[in-house]
Amino acid sequence: MTTGPMNTGPTPRPGILEITPYVGGESSANAKRLIRLASNEGALGTSPAAKAAYEVAAAELHRYPDGGSTALRETIAEIHGLNVDQIVCGAGSDELIALLTRAYAGPGDEVLYSRHGFLMYPLSAMACGATPVAAPEPGLKADVDLVLASVTDRTRIVFIANPNNPTGSYLSTAEIERLHAGLPAHVLLVIDAAYAEYVDAPDYSAGAALAESTTNVVMTRTFSKIYGLSALRLGWAYCPPGIADILNRIRGPFNVSLPAQKAGEAAIRDTDFIERSRAHNEQWRDWTAAALSDLGLKVHPSVCNFLLVDFAGIPGISAEDARIALKDQGILVRQMGAYGLPTCLRIGIGLEDEMRPVIEAMRTVMAGAGQAATG
Ligand SMILES: *Cc1c(COP(=O)(O)O)cnc(C)c1O
């Protein structure tokens, strides 16, 4: 046994030392040109209007921001047709996920999520001393019946990313309503709609209606994806009034910085940029999926700005081999072992002159796989 400062200093609460810290997508490689497709960031960068608002905010950096993010919440309410008092802003939706977990779960409680759901849910649960419970997900899509079957007396929160990262799948409005209807009223259902803006399916809705008509459903949203503001850390939650009140009690009084508030307001008003981003994503996601399928790879259907590509059954090459081959050319994609999908890679949708090199590199990888298998 090692005895050192770790063992003589303050002891963290139970469970915290069992947390494996979240590792973000890789952002560097030894190559002249980097193609960064490992973190699902917006392909078109940031709206010019949001950048301009960010620069204007530089003049006020010595001032505390508005602790209530009032103008930003009013803008969100106006654009989405929501009630301003039910909106709570956070430093990324990660902060809101952490606050909700801290408010509603602790030691002895269970936090339920779907097996291939977003990793921040079990990590947030463990940080609060709660027990993360993964419902089985055989079809790479959350299964309402299996989630409901995993609810116990100790379940306090159910997290569902809709659509989900990293699978790219979604639950229809009817499926989400059925999930909610099957939960006891004291269980909080968090619908994480980080990719809602990319979804074009008529049977999809992000969850605002349930947050208005129930007392136990929260929808979270982010500015990190289509709005291209990942670096600023900005997200928001749409909550029943009682839950908004709880979040406002426990959040930091100035949890959202002034540049984030100002850039967020401008970004959400730049509907032209959002529309261009959505159209670009649809075109190049479909193009990339078709090209990868043509190479013999299994590509899971995705309504998001990334694709989950499965190498299972490809002779002579693993997902990790492919990831390294891409990285050697400066192309960064995400390995999926932490999500229980070790045979898969997640590839974000970037610009045309980023996606064409991905396909060329993958063509070389697959040609090598064929040779390795036959040679
Ligand atoms: C990217 C992502 C988020 C966004 O997190 P932020 O903290 O807002 O950057 C939330 N949920 C899911 C499922 C995501 O993939």
Side-chain angles (χ1 to χ4, degrees):
M1 280 299 293
T2 48
T3 50
M6 289 285 284
N7 292 352
T8 57
T11 308
R13 298 196 325 187
I16 290 187
L17 286 174
E18 281 145 47
I19 297 174
T20 307
Y22 183 87
V23 180
E26 286 188 298
S27 57
S28 64
N30 221 341
K32 273 198 217 98
R33 179 191 176 206
L34 274 187
I35 297 180
R36 294 173 56 172
L37 305 173
S39 294
N40 302 345
E41 295 142 340
L44 304 190
T46 308
S47 135
K51 279 191 201 168
Y54 175 85
E55 279 170 22
V56 170
E60 297 287 328
L61 290 183
H62 59 302
R63 303 283 181 205
Y64 278 98
D66 168 16
S69 300
T70 312
L72 172 59
R73 286 190 299 112
E74 284 169 356
T75 307
I76 294 168
E78 177 195 322
I79 298 284
H80 288 283
L82 303 176
N83 299 320
V84 65
D85 294 339
Q86 292 180 243
I87 299 170
V88 179
C89 294
S93 38
D94 281 351
E95 184 191 24
L96 297 161
I97 291 166
L99 290 173
L100 286 164
T101 313
R102 199 200 316 160
Y104 293 100
D109 297 333
E110 292 175 356
V111 172
L112 185 56
Y113 66 109
S114 196
R115 174 68 185 97
H116 305 297
F118 189 43
L119 264 183
M120 286 312 297
Y121 313 144
L123 293 184
S124 287
M126 290 168 84
C128 300
T131 305
V133 175
E137 187 185 323
L140 287 195
K141 173 182 158 177
D143 181 312
V144 170
D145 295 306
L146 293 177
V147 172
L148 289 175
S150 304
V151 173
T152 74
D153 289 349
R154 304 200 296 173
T155 307
R156 292 289 171 272
I157 308 178
V158 176
F159 278 106
I160 293 286
N162 196 33
N164 184 50
N165 167 22
T167 53
S169 55
Y170 73 99
L171 295 182
S172 68
T173 306
E175 287 171 296
I176 289 282
E177 283 171 355
R178 194 161 73 81
L179 172 60
H180 172 257
L183 290 175
H186 68 268
V187 172
L188 171 65
L189 173 61
V190 180
I191 303 170
D192 176 350
Y195 300 91
E197 290 82 1
Y198 290 109
V199 186
D200 192 23
D203 62 347
Y204 171 82
S205 51
L210 276 180
E212 284 184 358
S213 65
T214 71
T215 53
N216 65 334
V217 177
V218 169
M219 169 187 73
T220 60
R221 302 287 286 264
T222 183
F223 282 86
S224 297
K225 304 289 153 62
I226 208 166
Y227 301 99
L229 293 174
S230 312
L232 279 186
R233 313 306 305 124
L234 182 61
W236 53 283
Y238 195 52
C239 316
I243 297 178
D245 172 61
I246 297 300
L247 289 180
N248 282 323
R249 286 170 196 261
I250 63 170
R251 68 177 173 82
F254 304 104
N255 61 329
V256 179
S257 73
L258 177 77
Q261 292 183 31
K262 292 298 170 197
E265 267 179 65
I268 205 166
R269 283 199 188 284
D270 193 347
T271 47
D272 175 62
F273 178 84
I274 299 164
E275 199 35 62
R276 275 193 294 124
S277 300
R278 196 192 334 260
H280 170 90
N281 184 63
E282 196 172 302
Q283 178 182 354
W284 289 96
R285 180 187 62 210
D286 294 352
W287 181 88
T288 306
L292 291 170
S293 300
D294 284 349
L295 292 175
L297 288 159
K298 179 157 191 247
V299 183
H300 288 281
S302 170
V303 295
C304 300
N305 66 337
F306 55 81
L307 293 167
L308 188 70
V309 183
D310 199 342
F311 288 77
I314 305 281
I317 189 123
S318 67
E320 187 60 5
D321 296 335
R323 187 186 69 79
I324 289 165
L326 292 177
K327 187 175 174 180
D328 284 344
Q329 305 197 31
I331 300 170
L332 301 175
V333 301
R334 189 66 158 263
Q335 59 192 150
M336 289 282 107
Y339 285 90
L341 299 166
T343 64
C344 296
L345 294 178
R346 193 191 67 200
I347 304 178
I349 302 303
L351 298 169
E352 172 175 359
D353 77 349
E354 296 176 316
M355 301 323 290
R356 290 191 185 278
V358 167
I359 296 303
E360 282 322 305
M362 210 61 109
R363 196 185 307 285
T364 308
V365 166
M366 294 301 282
Q371 272 163 22
T374 55

